Amino acid sequence: MKQVPLPSTKSLTPAQIIVSYYFIAIAISVALLYLPGVTEADAELSFIDTVFVAVSAVSVTGLSPVNIADTFTVFGYAIIMMILQLGGIGIMSIGTFVWLIAGKKIGLRERQLIMIDHNQPTLSGVVKLIREIVKILLLIQLVGSIILSLYFMQVFEDPKFAILNGIFSTISATTNGGFDINGDSLLSFRGDYFVQSIHMLLIVLGAIGFPVLIEVKEFLSNKDKTFRFSLFTKITTATYGALLVIGAIGIYVLEYFNTFRFLSWHDALFGALFHSVSSRSGGLTTMNIEMFDQGTNFFMSFLMFIGASPSSVGGGIRTTTFAIALLFLINFSRGKNEIQIFGREIHLIDVFRSYAVILLAALIVIFSAILLSVTDPTIPITALIFEITSAFGTCGMSLGVTDDLSNIGKVTIMFLMFIGRVGLISFLFTLGGKSNSTKFHYPKERVIIG
């Protein structure tokens, strides 16, 4: 009998290989969660819920059909932290760092995979990028763990739990994982501005984009101050900061006569600011968001749909995608066909990619909302849309319906979390296969638009 040859990775595109690696990471994560001693003896965790937690951890989302604090042991917390690190830093980042430690040469194929995994436009400097990402993120986590552990020792009676909580909270915040071992996210720290401030800082550092952190580091270490920030850093930082402020103002105004009317002005201000930061992909909450007004939930869904910055731990359509699309819309309304900002001009291909990402993301969200409204008709559509955008933006916030979803609903949410982590560009390239250049062109003709 003739043997059928198995497909090799050489026949796959870099994007398809990256997606395959993430599938393998999920399979390994599921196996790890089935190890003895990972869950409490009386905990009930079905297979689909185990897969759900694994996908949520790999995609650093934080949605869960079970309470993490009540379901997993200390060993289970360690497994989840390891998976969050893998998903947050990135599979290729971890693999490359291990190769570098082992002294192995990083070839062209591996550089292409790194470029796809971190949405880099060129192969130049990708290995240096990985080294810097791992060093900076581990340094941030080390400092954050020490600060929170020391502070939690004054809050919790058990010093071991205080240290464990400090480390877990830091990793969850920097990777924007959204998991917690308190059992109530950060609701018990609603009046603790120090804990909230540290978490907000860690979430921002994880979501603003690794290239931004690297450039800030280079700027601070450049003694002659000749360093110039890239256009990417300028657009990313400006957009992230603007959305953070707009989000805080929007949540404050929308909830002013609702949940915030019972709070002091500083509690309300921190509540609005924290949830603006966290809705970008952090997933942690200091208030019961199920009590928020529908308008607030829709507004937060919009923030989660945009998500974090490219080459970060977060998902969504990304800040630069939103910024470029908005800038083009503004310039087009003024009769201009190009985008000029910060003394530079945006490539037209980046405009095309931005609108392609937004259109595909909108279609995925709409289709998912239609599907879940059929499979889970008892759940309000507002809660379903919130859950969908939270999964797509790898945020992790929920209106308390995750455990009520049907199996089809849970699979849909898992699919959204997975796409949010690998990125829509990689997902598109995975479906499209290898690129082929057009050998001929047809005559061009104008079409009526609008």
Short mmCIF file of all heavy atoms in Angstrom, two decimals, residues 37 55 110 115 170 172 344:
data_model
loop_
_atom_site.label_atom_id
_atom_site.label_comp_id
_atom_site.label_asym_id
_atom_site.label_seq_id
_atom_site.Cartn_x
_atom_site.Cartn_y
_atom_site.Cartn_z
N GLY A 37 -3.48 17.08 41.39
CA GLY A 37 -3.18 18.15 42.33
C GLY A 37 -3.40 19.54 41.80
O GLY A 37 -3.16 20.52 42.52
N VAL A 55 -7.71 27.86 26.92
CA VAL A 55 -7.74 28.85 25.83
C VAL A 55 -7.70 30.26 26.40
O VAL A 55 -6.99 31.14 25.87
CB VAL A 55 -9.02 28.67 24.97
CG1 VAL A 55 -9.14 29.78 23.94
CG2 VAL A 55 -9.00 27.31 24.27
N GLU A 110 12.78 31.12 11.44
CA GLU A 110 12.41 31.52 12.80
C GLU A 110 12.18 33.03 12.89
O GLU A 110 11.26 33.50 13.58
CB GLU A 110 13.49 31.11 13.81
CG GLU A 110 13.58 29.61 14.08
CD GLU A 110 14.25 28.86 12.95
OE1 GLU A 110 14.99 29.50 12.17
OE2 GLU A 110 14.03 27.64 12.83
N MET A 115 8.46 37.69 13.31
CA MET A 115 7.89 38.86 12.66
C MET A 115 6.36 38.78 12.61
O MET A 115 5.66 39.75 12.90
CB MET A 115 8.45 39.00 11.25
CG MET A 115 7.97 40.23 10.49
SD MET A 115 8.60 40.32 8.79
CE MET A 115 7.62 39.02 8.01
N THR A 170 0.55 40.26 39.82
CA THR A 170 1.48 40.95 38.94
C THR A 170 1.51 40.31 37.56
O THR A 170 1.44 41.01 36.54
CB THR A 170 2.90 40.95 39.54
OG1 THR A 170 2.88 41.63 40.79
CG2 THR A 170 3.89 41.64 38.61
N SER A 172 -0.76 38.35 36.22
CA SER A 172 -2.08 38.52 35.61
C SER A 172 -2.26 39.92 35.05
O SER A 172 -2.84 40.11 33.97
CB SER A 172 -3.17 38.22 36.64
OG SER A 172 -4.45 38.36 36.07
N ARG A 344 5.30 62.70 9.07
CA ARG A 344 5.43 61.51 8.25
C ARG A 344 4.12 61.25 7.51
O ARG A 344 3.08 61.81 7.86
CB ARG A 344 5.77 60.28 9.10
CG ARG A 344 7.14 60.35 9.78
CD ARG A 344 8.27 60.23 8.78
NE ARG A 344 9.55 60.13 9.45
CZ ARG A 344 10.30 61.17 9.77
NH1 ARG A 344 9.87 62.40 9.52
NH2 ARG A 344 11.48 61.00 10.35
#
